[in-house]
Amino acid sequence: MSLTDNAAHKVQNLIAEEGNDNLKLRVFVTGGGCSGFQYGFSFDEEVSEDDTVIQNKGASLLVDPLSYQYLVGAKIDYVEGLEGSRFVVDNPMATATCGCGSSFSI
């Protein structure tokens, strides 16, 4: 897994806005969505001992073991466009995705 430079900069900016240097971006996979699974993002202060931690440019990305198995080789990016601004997952394991980009199947 990797966190792009662009996503790392956005994470740093959001953490600065919150004024809490202990925050880390967490990506997770849950059941649901129109393709079977969906991605979620949240900020978390706690790092569990079984979390995988990916770092780039001083930003930390956390992934729990259950989600990690669905995200092996994925790239987390941050994009701004006509549809708005958001973190996106480029997941080579996904065999299908929906139009919104937050739902996938394997």
Side-chain angles (χ1 to χ4, degrees):
M1 281 190 67
S2 64
L3 181 66
T4 67
D5 290 352
N6 197 38
H9 288 297
K10 185 61 179 180
V11 169
Q12 292 290 51
N13 289 342
L14 291 170
I15 289 171
E17 286 177 16
E18 289 296 318
N20 182 349
D21 291 337
N22 295 321
L23 292 175
K24 293 141 187 70
L25 181 65
R26 180 176 292 279
V27 61
F28 55 91
V29 174
T30 59
C34 49
S35 293
F37 296 103
Q38 60 187 34
Y39 303 113
F41 293 93
S42 65
F43 278 98
D44 200 339
E45 289 183 300
E46 301 297 321
V47 179
S48 299
E49 73 177 48
D50 58 352
D51 281 340
T52 297
V53 181
I54 292 106
Q55 296 185 332
N56 184 14
K57 305 280 185 195
S60 296
L61 177 69
L62 307 177
V63 188
D64 65 87
L66 183 62
S67 298
Y68 188 85
Q69 66 184 334
Y70 298 107
L71 294 167
V72 172
K75 179 174 65 173
I76 311 302
D77 197 7
Y78 183 78
V79 297
E80 297 180 15
L82 295 175
E83 298 173 354
S85 304
R86 61 190 170 124
F87 288 100
V88 295
V89 179
D90 180 9
N91 188 346
M93 293 181 61
T95 58
T97 60
C98 69
C100 69
S102 66
S103 181
F104 70 102
S105 62
I106 293 181

